[in-house]
Amino acid sequence: MNQLVIRAAEERDIKPMADLDVICFAEPWSEAAFKGEIMENDKAFYIVAEIGGQLAGYAGLWAIVDEGHITNVAVSPENRRRGIGRAIVATLIEVAEQNGLNSFTLEVRESNLAAQALYKEFKFKPAGIRKGYYLDNGENAIIMWRIHE
């Protein structure tokens, strides 16, 4: 297996990230949305994971005062269950903490038990429900928080 490389997202990653979103999510972000996040939003931070120069996954967050709101975590289907999601989340949190963020929040589908288990590994705890959060099917989102102690 080629080595996993995790680095800050760049302009060249916009199209591959948007393409991955179409595969991973029922409500994918557009290339324009990723361009806005990566090139224009000074509160946003995105990282990508590559294997052999190919995008294997990405994650991002918005820095709001001292909190990080994790926007998306995506891993390509062929690269799942190989520790890439764990590596991406670990790197995202580590870099964010180095930059002064000390708590993190995210929303996750009630049905996405694999993602919930991953976030629990990083000490995220369920803190509430957003009823009908996902527009594609009206599924609820679980709000999870990780508070630095």
Side-chain angles (χ1 to χ4, degrees):
M1 177 173 129
N2 288 316
Q3 184 175 359
L4 178 68
V5 174
I6 298 176
R7 59 171 176 76
E10 302 171 357
E11 186 172 7
R12 66 184 163 119
D13 300 310
I14 293 169
K15 181 170 178 15
M17 289 169 73
D19 291 346
L20 180 59
D21 244 41
V22 169
I23 295 167
C24 292
F25 300 116
E27 300 174 57
W29 287 12
S30 66
E31 282 186 47
F34 280 107
K35 182 177 183 185
E37 290 292 282
I38 293 168
M39 305 304 295
E40 299 161 13
N41 185 349
D42 62 355
K43 302 291 185 209
F45 174 68
Y46 284 79
I47 59 173
V48 296
E50 292 179 326
I51 298 175
Q54 298 295 311
L55 183 73
Y58 79 88
L61 63 72
W62 296 329
I64 304 166
V65 189
D66 61 350
E67 296 174 359
H69 182 107
I70 296 176
T71 57
N72 286 337
V73 176
V75 176
S76 60
E78 66 273 15
N79 286 300
R80 291 182 186 157
R81 306 202 57 78
R82 296 171 66 187
I84 294 169
R86 186 173 295 104
I88 293 170
V89 172
T91 302
L92 190 69
I93 290 171
E94 179 182 336
V95 171
E97 286 179 340
Q98 290 170 356
N99 285 281
L101 303 184
N102 59 30
S103 60
F104 300 87
T105 188
L106 55 81
E107 292 91 10
V108 60
R109 287 182 185 264
E110 276 184 326
S111 64
N112 194 343
L113 301 179
Q116 290 173 46
L118 173 65
Y119 301 138
K120 286 176 182 174
E121 287 182 35
F122 289 94
K123 300 186 177 155
F124 280 84
K125 294 181 173 45
I129 300 284
R130 292 200 198 282
K131 298 260 185 218
Y133 183 77
Y134 293 97
L135 300 176
D136 64 310
N137 65 358
E139 185 174 356
N140 296 337
I142 297 175
I143 304 163
M144 299 184 82
W145 277 92
R146 178 182 189 266
I147 308 294
H148 183 72
E149 299 170 7

